[in-house]
Amino acid sequence: MANIIDGKAISAQIKEELKEKVAVMEAEGRQVTLAVIQVGSDPASSVYVGNKKKACAYIGIRSLSYELEEKTTEEELLVLIGELNNREDVNGILVQLPLPSHIEEDKIIKAIRPEKDVDGFHPQSVGALCIGQPGFVSCTPAGIIQLLKRSGIEIAGKECVVVGRSNIVGKPMALLLLRENATVTVAHSKTKDLKDVTRRADILVVAVGRPKMITKEYVKEGAVVIDVGIHRNAGNKLCGDVDYDDVAPICSAITPVPGGVGPMTIAMLMNNCVESIK
Ligand code: GUN
């Protein structure tokens, strides 16, 4: 039976480490501040934003909350970002996605100064990751690297398969694994013979957005399986992109849903906020 990778415990450990760092900074008179912007009142976004602000409070990061109306214009949002970019007392800026359809997300992401881009979504941050230069890294894939390292799972030289090619997870995940000297394959919805590809993986990262799609036929015996998906099934129970009960018995380690990758995203956001003061 697989080792269960405990994202809740690992994220708690990271948050404790950050809390200590922030206390030292505070004693030196340095206050980390994150500006959190939400446009509209999408219930899922409100939960995420609430959790981010709670994590800030726990660690000792000051959060400034901007809850803007759904009808806020792109121009108004750009003006606010411009102000926050120029404020010396604001270290990080986070605009919760998705934005209402009348606002162009790419334009908003590009407007955030890369030095304050704690989500790691700015093209400059992504480009820096691509060529191995310093910059903020997207929180979910950065959290997965921490899960692997803190679970004592070697990455260098391993066959890693990432299923999914989103800008937020799949692509930065592949780049981070490459930076850790893995051999990386990115599979996606057009990949032929997906099972043959995923069965090569020593480390399989799944971010496809389809509940329980990955069954044991997709997984090599002894593989490490990382499940990025989160869905609510008919019985209102949470599940991932991986069919956990089917896959867990044949792999060496696996992340559960909930309590695997999910808690790491906020922990890494907090890490980026602390880094943003530098
Ligand atoms: N919406 C879903 N995930 C994220 C995230 O990591 N950051 C932001 N800003 N919006 C999101």
Side-chain angles (χ1 to χ4, degrees):
M1 191 68 180
N3 286 319
I4 298 167
I5 300 175
D6 188 346
K8 230 171 135 177
I10 296 172
S11 69
Q13 187 185 26
I14 291 171
K15 283 194 266 187
E16 288 311 315
E17 292 166 9
L18 292 171
K19 198 173 175 177
E20 282 176 27
K21 272 195 196 172
V22 168
V24 171
M25 287 176 176
E26 218 171 82
E28 295 167 349
R30 296 193 297 161
Q31 166 79 70
V32 184
T33 300
L34 171 68
V36 182
I37 305 171
Q38 183 182 356
V39 185
S41 51
D42 172 62
S45 289
S46 298
V47 172
Y48 290 134
V49 164
N51 288 339
K52 289 171 188 180
K53 289 193 279 200
K54 242 190 264 169
C56 282
Y58 179 75
I59 289 166
I61 295 171
R62 178 171 72 131
S63 65
L64 305 178
S65 194
Y66 296 87
E67 287 161 21
L68 308 182
E69 287 183 75
E70 180 87 20
K71 65 176 184 4
T72 302
T73 64
E74 192 174 272
E75 196 48 43
E76 287 167 332
L77 183 53
L78 288 170
V79 168
L80 173 61
I81 292 170
E83 284 167 10
L84 296 168
N85 275 340
N86 290 329
R87 267 177 68 168
E88 283 197 5
D89 65 327
V90 172
N91 311 103
I93 303 171
L94 181 147
V95 179
Q96 185 65 26
L97 304 178
L99 287 167
S101 56
H102 64 276
I103 300 177
E104 225 182 293
E105 275 180 9
D106 286 353
K107 213 163 158 181
I108 299 303
I109 290 168
K110 258 200 257 176
I112 298 169
R113 266 177 60 188
E115 295 83 1
K116 300 192 178 190
D117 172 38
V118 286
D119 260 325
F121 295 167
H122 191 286
Q124 186 174 310
S125 307
V126 179
L129 170 63
C130 194
I131 58 173
Q133 288 187 356
F136 290 114
V137 175
S138 183
C139 302
T140 301
I144 291 169
I145 296 292
Q146 285 301 312
L147 280 182
L148 294 170
K149 287 189 170 175
R150 289 174 186 246
S151 303
I153 295 164
E154 181 87 41
I155 304 172
K158 294 286 175 66
E159 286 282 347
C160 294
V161 176
V162 179
V163 192
R165 55 176 158 177
S166 70
N167 290 340
I168 292 179
V169 181
K171 284 178 200 160
M173 186 76 252
L175 291 166
L176 283 174
L177 289 165
L178 191 59
R179 191 162 90 177
E180 297 294 332
N181 300 310
T183 302
V184 185
T185 304
V186 182
H188 47 79
S189 54
K190 299 284 191 297
T191 297
K192 290 208 171 73
D193 305 319
L194 179 62
K195 284 180 190 165
D196 293 340
V197 176
T198 55
R199 268 203 301 255
R200 292 205 300 261
D202 300 313
I203 300 173
L204 177 62
V205 181
V206 187
V208 288
R210 284 177 56 190
K212 295 192 182 187
M213 180 191 145
I214 300 298
T215 55
K216 65 176 184 295
E217 291 75 28
Y218 289 81
V219 180
K220 177 171 76 173
E221 182 116 20
V224 173
V225 177
I226 305 292
D227 188 353
V228 183
I230 184 148
H231 314 275
R232 227 170 250 288
N233 69 13
N236 211 29
K237 236 187 111 200
L238 291 172
C239 73
D241 292 345
V242 175
D243 186 338
Y244 184 91
D245 293 335
D246 195 47
V247 169
I250 67 153
C251 53
S252 61
I254 186 166
T255 58
V257 177
V261 173
M264 295 302 291
T265 302
I266 290 188
M268 298 319 288
L269 173 67
M270 296 299 105
N271 181 68
N272 284 353
C273 289
V274 172
E275 291 291 314
S276 71
I277 204 167
K278 293 176 185 164

